[in-house]
Amino acid sequence: MTVYFWITKVLTTGMGETTSDYLAHRLGPMIAVGLAGMCLVASLAVQFYVRRYVTWIYWMAVVMVSVFGTMAADVLHVGLGIPYVVSTVFFVVTLAVILAVWYASEKTLSIHSIYTRRRETFYWATVMATFALGTAAGDMTATTMHLGYFSSGVMFAVLIAVPALAYWRFGLNAIFAFWFAYIVTRPVGASFADWVGVSHKRSGLGLGTGRVSLVLAVVIIGFVGYLAVSRKDITHEPSRSL
């Protein structure tokens, strides 16, 4: 993974958060979830069809996972009234089960070993769970724990540096470091995006979720376009799937 991957990943998490909120308020929760679900299925179908890493296809799928993953977490809290603490624990268990089954089946959790449909299925299931977990955890710290969105973003930004430092300085297992960082990118991007987009009454800057989503979409398109041309998002030429 290169630094370009992590920058783009954080941007998609922020866009997914604000886009989910914007669509839910503009279209209504049911229509928004249905529309996002169809777009997610379509994007993953294309990703599975190409059977290799194609920059714009991969990131399109990640964006849709981000939007739908946010909605999945919000449905539990807003729609069913389940506290963020409970939903966070639920998604932790869900993620743990997926990773355990993946490892029991394939004997590895490395993203560099994803060259079969089954491993790619495990990968995207894990990604979906990390987005839902990150959303629930970020909202939990911002609202339930009353830290606010900005403070939550700062806290998770510090937390994401832990696996990076441990990997480079103390030899932390690369696979563990990757998934740890991958999970935390979600609340980092989502917390800061919420802080910029939500109203002053909710301790935000009040720029609006629609406006923030549009700006992030433009930036992501620029990044993905640059990566597709320069290929700086890969360290070697992929031979099979991701």
Side-chain angles (χ1 to χ4, degrees), residues 105-123:
S105 173
E106 306 298 322
K107 306 306 179 185
T108 179
L109 300 177
S110 173
I111 61 170
H112 301 296
S113 68
I114 301 174
Y115 50 81
T116 67
R117 289 192 183 278
R118 183 166 62 181
R119 290 184 180 184
E120 191 166 5
T121 300
F122 278 125
Y123 172 79

Side-chain angles (χ1 to χ4, degrees), residues 1-13 15 40 43-44 47 52-67 123-124 127 131 178 182 185 220-221 223-228 232-234 242:
M1 295 294 101
T2 67
V3 65
Y4 301 98
F5 173 89
W6 294 110
I7 292 174
T8 310
K9 174 63 167 59
V10 171
L11 291 172
T12 63
T13 65
M15 180 189 171
L40 172 62
S43 62
L44 288 178
Q47 171 62 40
R52 62 188 179 90
Y53 175 76
V54 178
T55 305
W56 72 270
I57 293 176
Y58 174 82
W59 287 110
M60 177 179 66
V62 171
V63 166
M64 292 316 307
V65 170
S66 177
V67 174
Y123 172 79
W124 287 109
V127 170
F131 272 99
F178 170 81
Y182 199 96
T185 56
I220 291 170
I221 291 172
F223 255 92
V224 171
Y226 171 73
L227 294 176
K232 287 188 176 181
D233 54 334
I234 57 176
L242 291 180

Side-chain angles (χ1 to χ4, degrees), residues 188-211:
V188 170
S191 295
F192 282 120
D194 271 335
W195 172 62
V196 176
V198 302
S199 65
H200 297 290
K201 291 182 179 179
R202 297 174 60 190
S203 302
L205 298 182
L207 297 185
T209 54
R211 189 176 302 174

Side-chain angles (χ1 to χ4, degrees), residues 24-83:
H25 284 91
R26 296 286 293 186
L27 304 178
M30 293 296 293
I31 296 176
V33 171
L35 179 62
M38 289 188 293
C39 291
L40 172 62
V41 170
S43 62
L44 288 178
V46 174
Q47 171 62 40
F48 275 83
Y49 175 78
V50 297
R51 302 294 298 135
R52 62 188 179 90
Y53 175 76
V54 178
T55 305
W56 72 270
I57 293 176
Y58 174 82
W59 287 110
M60 177 179 66
V62 171
V63 166
M64 292 316 307
V65 170
S66 177
V67 174
F68 190 79
T70 300
M71 291 180 176
D74 288 342
V75 162
L76 291 182
H77 179 73
V78 179
L80 302 179
I82 297 175

Side-chain angles (χ1 to χ4, degrees), residues 206-219:
L207 297 185
T209 54
R211 189 176 302 174
V212 174
S213 297
L214 180 59
V215 171
L216 288 174
V218 171
V219 176

